[in-house]
Amino acid sequence: MVHARNNHCITDELTLIVPAESLYTDICFNLNKAASDKHYSDIYTLHDAYVPMYNKGTLKIKVKRDSLGNKAQYGLVTIRNGKESWAGGVYSDGFITAGINRLGDMYAVACDTIAPKITPVQPEKWVVLKEIKIKLQDDKSGVKSFRGTIDGNYALFTHDVKSSVYKYIIDPTRVEKGKSHLLKFVAADGCGNESSSESTFKYWPIPNAPFTPNRIAPCGTNCGVCYVHLRQKEACPGCSSDGIKPK
C-alpha cells in the first residue's frame, strides 16, 4: 500500500479501502483468512503488524451464513488477544460495511440479539436519598438510547459516560408524596434490541422534621441506614423523635 494514493484490497468476500494520506508510510500489506464456526464469516487478519491510520478506512466482509431475519443485528467485531469488541457496521446485499482506524487486527461478522440488561440499584434507598438509580449493561453493540418515565411522564435520567449507572433526582414538584408511583425504564442497543423494566415506589413524606442522611436519631441509629421512618405503619419519627427505639 502506498501512502500517497488510494489503496484497494478486493476479493470475493472482502473489500478494504484505505484512502490516500491515511498511512504514515508505504507498507507491504498482507491479508490472511481463517475459517470460523463461531462467526457468520471467516476471520480476516488485516496485515501482520499494527499500523495506525490517519483517516478511517472502509472494510466490507461477506456474511457467509446469512441466517438472521433482522439484518440490523449483524455487525463486525474486532478480535484482539482473543477478546472481541463491537465494530458495528451496516448490512447491504449480503455484506457488512464498517469503518476502521488501524491495520493489524482480526475482523469477522458476528451478531447481537441480546437486549440491554436493566437493573434497579438499591430501590429501597430511592426515597431516602431522593435519587433513583438504574444500571444498564450491554456487552456488544452498546446502549444507544434510553428513556425513563414516572406515571407516564418523562423523567430526566443522566449518566457519566464512564459509568453504567443512570440517575434521576426525584423532583417533589412532579412526584407526589404519599402515593405509589410507577417507574418505567426502556433501553435499546445499537442493533435495535430493546428491553424494559418497571418498578413501583412510594414517595413517603418525612414526618415532623426534615430528614438528612447524616443525622443521628436519639435512639443512636443513623437515619441514613435505617428505613423504619419510611414505614406505612409504626413509622419512626426519625431524627425528630424523642428517644424512640425503632422496632
Side-chain angles (χ1 to χ4, degrees), residues 4-206:
R5 73 183 187 193
N6 294 325
N7 297 275
H8 300 77
C9 176
I10 301 174
T11 71
D12 291 340
E13 299 177 352
L14 176 144
T15 297
L16 171 64
I17 301 174
V18 177
E21 309 297 330
S22 295
L23 301 173
Y24 292 91
T25 185
D26 297 349
I27 63 171
C28 182
F29 178 75
N30 292 309
L31 175 67
N32 293 295
K33 180 176 76 170
S36 175
D37 295 329
K38 180 182 177 181
H39 301 92
Y40 291 83
S41 72
D42 293 327
I43 298 175
Y44 293 89
T45 303
L46 308 183
H47 200 44
D48 51 13
Y50 290 124
V51 177
M53 296 166 57
Y54 184 75
N55 298 307
K56 274 193 173 184
T58 301
L59 176 63
K60 183 165 71 171
I61 296 179
K62 181 178 179 60
V63 183
K64 295 183 68 174
R65 297 187 294 111
D66 197 346
S67 56
L68 292 180
N70 183 359
K71 309 303 183 184
Q73 293 177 326
Y74 286 124
L76 296 186
V77 289
T78 305
I79 306 170
R80 297 174 183 169
N81 300 319
K83 296 182 179 181
E84 295 185 1
S85 59
W86 191 258
V90 178
Y91 178 95
S92 179
D93 296 328
F95 286 81
I96 302 295
T97 303
I100 63 171
N101 56 17
R102 77 174 187 178
L103 302 176
D105 289 314
M106 295 186 290
Y107 289 90
V109 177
C111 73
D112 183 1
T113 60
I114 301 174
K117 181 181 179 182
I118 303 173
T119 305
V121 178
Q122 298 180 312
E124 71 278 3
K125 292 186 178 181
W126 288 355
V127 174
V128 176
L129 301 178
K130 299 180 181 179
E131 183 180 66
I132 295 174
K133 293 182 179 181
I134 300 291
K135 186 175 183 179
L136 275 184
Q137 295 170 287
D138 191 275
D139 63 353
K140 276 205 169 180
S141 57
V143 176
K144 183 178 181 180
S145 64
F146 61 91
R147 179 180 174 85
T149 59
I150 297 177
D151 302 330
N153 300 313
Y154 175 70
L156 178 61
F157 278 82
T158 60
H159 82 293
D160 188 308
V161 293
K162 297 180 181 179
S163 172
S164 60
V165 176
Y166 295 67
K167 302 177 182 180
Y168 169 73
I169 305 300
I170 296 178
D171 184 351
T173 65
R174 302 185 64 191
V175 182
E176 189 174 352
K177 292 183 177 181
K179 289 189 176 182
S180 293
H181 300 278
L182 175 64
L183 167 69
K184 184 174 182 180
F185 197 91
V186 180
D189 64 20
C191 286
N193 303 303
E194 186 176 284
S195 58
S196 64
S197 174
E198 293 186 355
S199 304
T200 58
F201 67 97
K202 193 166 186 178
Y203 191 27
W204 295 95
I206 305 303

Side-chain angles (χ1 to χ4, degrees), residues 214-242:
N214 61 350
R215 287 189 177 178
I216 304 297
C219 67
T221 302
N222 185 331
C223 294
V225 296
C226 176
Y227 308 112
V228 180
H229 62 285
L230 296 176
R231 287 178 179 169
Q232 188 172 8
K233 295 180 180 180
E234 298 183 357
C236 172
C239 53
S240 64
S241 62
D242 185 17

